[in-house]
Amino acid sequence: MSKKDKKKIIGPHTLRDFVLIFLGALVQALSMHLFLIPGQLVSGGVSGAAQIINFFTNFPIGVMVIIGNLPLYLIGWRHLGGLKFALRTLFAVVAFSLLTDLLPYFLPIQSFTHDMLLNTLYGGVLLGAGLGLVYRGRGTSGGSDILGRILNFRFGFSISAAYMLTDSVVVLASGFA
C-alpha cells in the first residue's frame, strides 16, 4: 500500500469519523433495544430482516445482521470505494451488531413505553439520528445503504427511492410474521 493510499484511508478526520460512526451505531442499537424490538416493530433493511428471523428462530439479531450484510459488504467494497468504504462500513456493521446483542446485558430496561405509536415515533427518531451520525462520519450502516448507493451509482436511482423499495419489502414481509 502506497503512502498516497494510506493518506486516503487515514485522513485528518478519521478518528472523528470513527467516533461518529460508533455513536451512530450506539444510538441505532438503543432504538432497537428500547423501542423497536419491544414494540415488535421492524426497522427495514437487513436489521429488519434479522428481526423477522429472530421472531421465528430466536437467533440473535446482531449475528443475523452480520450474516445478512456479508454479501452486500463484498459487493459494496468492489463498487463503492474500496478499502476506505470497506473499513468504515465494517466498523459500523460490527459495532451495531455487537451493541444490539450486548445492550440487554448492560441496560436491563425492556422498554420505556408499551404504546405502539410512541415506540414507533421514538424508535424512528432515534434510528434516524443514529443513521445520520453514521453518514456524518462518512460511513454506511450496511444493508440497504449499500444497495441504495450501488443502485444510485450504477443505474442513477435516487438513494431515497432505493431505500424505500428495499425497506418496503422488509416491512411488508414483517406483516406476515
Side-chain angles (χ1 to χ4, degrees):
M1 183 179 297
S2 70
K3 287 184 181 180
K4 186 178 179 182
D5 291 337
K6 285 183 183 178
K7 284 184 181 178
K8 286 182 182 176
I9 296 169
I10 305 172
H13 301 291
T14 302
L15 179 60
R16 180 190 70 88
D17 290 346
F18 279 92
V19 168
L20 286 171
I21 290 169
F22 179 79
L23 290 174
L26 176 62
V27 171
Q28 290 175 66
L30 285 168
S31 170
M32 295 283 285
H33 175 66
L34 296 175
F35 301 107
L36 299 179
I37 294 170
Q40 294 183 339
L41 299 164
V42 174
S43 64
V46 172
S47 59
Q51 285 177 268
I52 295 170
I53 292 169
N54 172 266
F55 180 77
F56 288 113
T57 65
N58 247 6
F59 288 146
I61 292 172
V63 172
M64 297 310 301
V65 167
I66 289 176
I67 291 169
N69 271 299
L70 280 176
L72 294 170
Y73 175 77
L74 295 173
I75 293 168
W77 182 333
R78 179 176 173 165
H79 294 286
L80 295 176
L83 191 57
K84 184 176 180 179
F85 165 83
L87 289 175
R88 291 168 195 265
T89 299
L90 180 65
F91 181 72
V93 169
V94 170
F96 171 72
S97 298
L98 288 174
L99 289 166
T100 299
D101 285 348
L102 295 177
L103 267 178
Y105 297 107
F106 297 103
L107 189 63
I109 299 168
Q110 293 298 315
S111 178
F112 281 120
T113 180
H114 296 291
D115 185 318
M116 186 173 286
L117 180 62
L118 291 177
N119 276 326
T120 303
L121 179 65
Y122 297 150
V125 167
L126 268 182
L127 192 63
L131 288 169
L133 288 169
V134 170
Y135 296 153
R136 183 81 170 162
R138 295 185 283 173
T140 73
S141 60
S144 57
D145 295 353
I146 296 171
L147 192 56
R149 289 183 184 208
I150 290 171
L151 289 172
N152 175 263
F153 181 72
R154 289 285 187 205
F155 304 108
F157 258 74
S158 74
I159 292 177
S160 59
Y163 286 156
M164 182 67 78
L165 177 68
T166 56
D167 289 349
S168 294
V169 168
V170 173
V171 171
L172 287 173
S174 74
F176 295 107

